[in-house]
Amino acid sequence: MPEGFDLRGHTALVTGGGRRLGRAFVQALAAQGADVAVHYGASAAGAQAAGAAVQARGRRAALLQADLADPAQAAGLLDRAVEALGPIDLLVNNAAIFEPLVMAATTLAAWERHLAINLTAPFLLTQAFARVRAGSPGAVVNLLDWRALRPGADHFPYTVAKAGLAAMTRSLALALAPSIRVNGLALGAILPPPEATDPQAPPPPGAPIARWATLEETTHALLFLLAGPDFMTGVILHLDGGRHLA
Ligand SMILES: NC(=O)c1ccc[n+]([C@@H]2O[C@H](COP(=O)([O-])OP(=O)(O)OC[C@H]3O[C@@H](n4cnc5c(N)ncnc54)[C@H](OP(=O)(O)O)[C@@H]3O)[C@@H](O)[C@H]2O)c1
């Protein structure tokens, strides 16, 4: 477990905390002493397991279901977390969808779904977070992708939404300073997509460090952004084996 990231006395909300990276983030935060509100959409069993892992560490957990495609549910989620656990001072905007659509195949519905879940929900959550922090310190991390800063033609609505989230990360770092720090974690090949059938699949080509990341590397980077230097805001940290340079 990384040292120097003491989160005792802090309370986090992690969106999409019921599976894969979000669940690893929940567990890493609790391991550092944070209480955690675990948001989920459809992964109720995974969220329960994540919450149980938090409680097994002696920390408090709350499970909160919300469909982040619905702006009203996204806007209300932070207040529900505060009702459940008291003041929330760490927000991890992790939930996202990632559909393999090129531009020509992108329907208006797919476009709107990606923007709603991947961009509008983090905006509404951060707006609510800033309101309830009311000038008290806090930290936000937005989960990005190396594609956000080097858009290609693949995963078109996903990439556009993540590019918007990267821009929002920097804009909100300015808007919410000095009390709230807003940083981004731009990931490369961390986990194969859930639909991948071969867990030993080679990583996508193109990264100078040609392997999948470990979950420990990924949670370490998240903890660094949340609990590292207080002077750090507006940073977009790439954890992608150098893929964004290639
Ligand atoms: N895995 C990678 O290698 C990789 C690479 C680059 C960037 N990232 C970014 O890292 C983050 C996590 O990645 P991942 O691979 O763990 O993602 P994932 O397996 O696709 O999980 C997506 C999460 O988002 C939630 N979600 C999706 N639609 C939702 C909705 N309408 N309402 C509520 N929740 C919704 C899901 O919750 P439920 O299951 O509960 O519905 C799930 O927890 C994402 O932001 C992703 O873009 C990941």
Side-chain angles (χ1 to χ4, degrees), residues 11 13 37 60-64 75-88 131-132:
T11 307
L13 169 61
R60 295 179 306 142
L63 308 184
L64 302 169
L77 180 58
L78 201 285
D79 283 341
R80 289 172 57 205
V82 172
E83 277 166 31
L85 291 180
I88 302 285
R131 174 173 48 74
V132 302

Side-chain angles (χ1 to χ4, degrees), residues 15-23 25 39-44 47 65-70 93-98 113 117-118 142-147 158 162 165 185-194 212:
T15 66
R19 65 181 165 111
R20 285 168 50 88
L21 294 187
R23 190 160 152 186
F25 294 150
H39 158 266
Y40 65 97
S43 296
Q65 196 282 333
D67 180 0
L68 297 182
D70 175 357
N93 284 312
N94 166 76
I97 56 171
F98 176 64
R113 190 165 61 246
I117 297 168
N118 296 6
N142 293 323
L143 268 294
L144 303 172
D145 191 303
W146 67 269
R147 293 175 179 83
Y158 167 86
K162 290 288 189 186
L165 188 56
L185 180 55
L187 299 177
I190 310 295
L191 290 174
W212 299 98

Side-chain angles (χ1 to χ4, degrees), residues 61 65 82 87 104 106 110 120 144 164 177 211 217 222:
Q65 196 282 333
V82 172
T106 302
T120 304
L144 303 172
R211 63 168 173 83
E217 288 171 325
L222 177 84

Side-chain angles (χ1 to χ4, degrees), residues 214-238:
T214 67
L215 281 179
E216 289 71 23
E217 288 171 325
T218 313
T219 57
H220 193 161
L222 177 84
L223 292 171
F224 175 71
L225 292 174
L226 282 176
D230 269 348
F231 202 44
M232 180 172 60
T233 195
V235 164
I236 293 179
L237 178 68
H238 282 84

